[in-house]
């Protein structure tokens, strides 16, 4: 199975900050990676597919980069509604595997 | 929209069938997955099924106990769970997987439901 290592597990930030979250795969997954935002009691919300493409309707302050093994989610100018948990998912092969999640908390 | 149902409190060794009702897009064009999240734990993929239902995949920990299926005429995905264990306790999500046409991926995993709670306890 492909292991996904996501870091950090949590971070504290302020509105307006730039936030960066990383995921590293245990093997080359090309760009078969997505990012989702999760809030308590809500369905995870799609953000990024194929490592760097925004799903329709996702605001441009979210961006993704990387390929192969190393991937990054960046939120420029953090907004109040962005405080949530973010996770990466590799869909290169089954079983899908996930990063452990990053909780973005208010400083 | 993806709407899961069927979660419940069940005793160890018991069975349960989860459903995921889909609306707003053409269900039969997409593969689907079930994913679970135990309390305080990370996300764990459970199973996937192809658009036509002919191909399925399972996590090692559910092999032989869970069966994924779909009814394209009813726009519904299922997960039949048998021989349930305490460690199967989790919130179970259905997730829209990719669409593949003639071997080419057209769309990528995106929408998830809100989940249905399965609790296995005596």
């Amino acid at each position: 199975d492909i292991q996904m290592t996501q870091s950090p597990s949590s971070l504290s930030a302020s509105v307006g900050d730039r936030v960066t979250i990383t995921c590293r795969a245990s093997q080359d997954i090309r760009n078969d990676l997505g990012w989702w935002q999760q809030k308590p009691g809500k369905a995870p919300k799609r953000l990024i597919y194929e490592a760097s493409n925004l799903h329709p309707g996702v605001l441009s302050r979210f961006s993704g980069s990387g390929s192969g093994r190393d991937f990054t989610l960046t939120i420029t100018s953090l907004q109040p509604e962005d405080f949530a948990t973010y996770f990466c998912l590799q869909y290169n092969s089954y079983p899908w595997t996930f990063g452990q999640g990053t909780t973005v908390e208010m400083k | 929209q993806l709407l899961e149902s069927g979660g419940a409190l069940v005793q160890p060794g018991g069975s349960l069938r989860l459903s995921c009702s889909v609306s707003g897009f053409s269900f039969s064009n997409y593969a689907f997955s079930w994913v679970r999240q135990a309390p305080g734990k990370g996300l764990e993929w459970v199973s996937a099924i192809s658009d036509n239902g002919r191909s399925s995949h399972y996590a090692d920990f559910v092999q032989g106990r869970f069966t994924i299926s779909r009814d394209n005429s009813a726009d519904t995905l299922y997960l039949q769970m048998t021989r349930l264990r305490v460690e199967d306790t989790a919130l179970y999500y259905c997730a829209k997987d990719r669409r593949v046409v003639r071997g080419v991926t057209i769309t990528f995993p995106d929408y998830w439901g809100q989940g249905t709670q399965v609790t296995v306890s005596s």
Side-chain angles (χ1 to χ4, degrees), chain B residues 42-57:
Chain B
L43 293 157
E44 192 173 46
W45 176 84
V46 175
S47 182
I49 190 166
S50 62
D51 54 2
N52 58 17
R54 292 176 189 159
S55 176
S56 59
H57 306 266

Side-chain angles (χ1 to χ4, degrees), chain B residues 1-117:
Chain B
Q1 184 179 4
L2 291 77
L3 185 62
E4 302 93 338
S5 61
L9 171 63
V10 62
Q11 292 190 335
S15 299
L16 211 53
R17 189 176 83 157
L18 306 184
S19 300
C20 174
S21 178
V22 170
S23 61
F25 58 89
S26 183
F27 178 78
S28 61
N29 284 342
Y30 298 89
F32 283 85
S33 281
W34 286 98
V35 176
R36 71 185 188 183
Q37 188 167 31
K41 303 284 189 178
L43 293 157
E44 192 173 46
W45 176 84
V46 175
S47 182
I49 190 166
S50 62
D51 54 2
N52 58 17
R54 292 176 189 159
S55 176
S56 59
H57 306 266
Y58 295 93
D60 288 345
F61 57 80
V62 301
Q63 280 282 1
R65 299 190 299 126
F66 293 5
T67 303
I68 192 170
S69 62
R70 62 191 295 161
D71 183 344
N72 284 354
S73 66
D75 293 349
T76 304
L77 175 73
Y78 301 102
L79 185 67
Q80 179 69 48
M81 309 165 71
T82 64
R83 291 185 279 142
L84 283 161
R85 305 167 180 166
V86 170
E87 54 266 33
D88 293 320
T89 295
L91 185 64
Y92 283 73
Y93 297 96
C94 61
K96 179 167 160 272
D97 203 327
R98 73 196 74 197
R99 179 180 180 187
V100 179
V101 177
R102 298 189 205 93
V104 178
T105 299
I106 303 297
T107 66
F108 300 89
D110 52 12
Y111 292 110
W112 293 44
Q114 287 190 288
T116 186
Q117 179 66 41

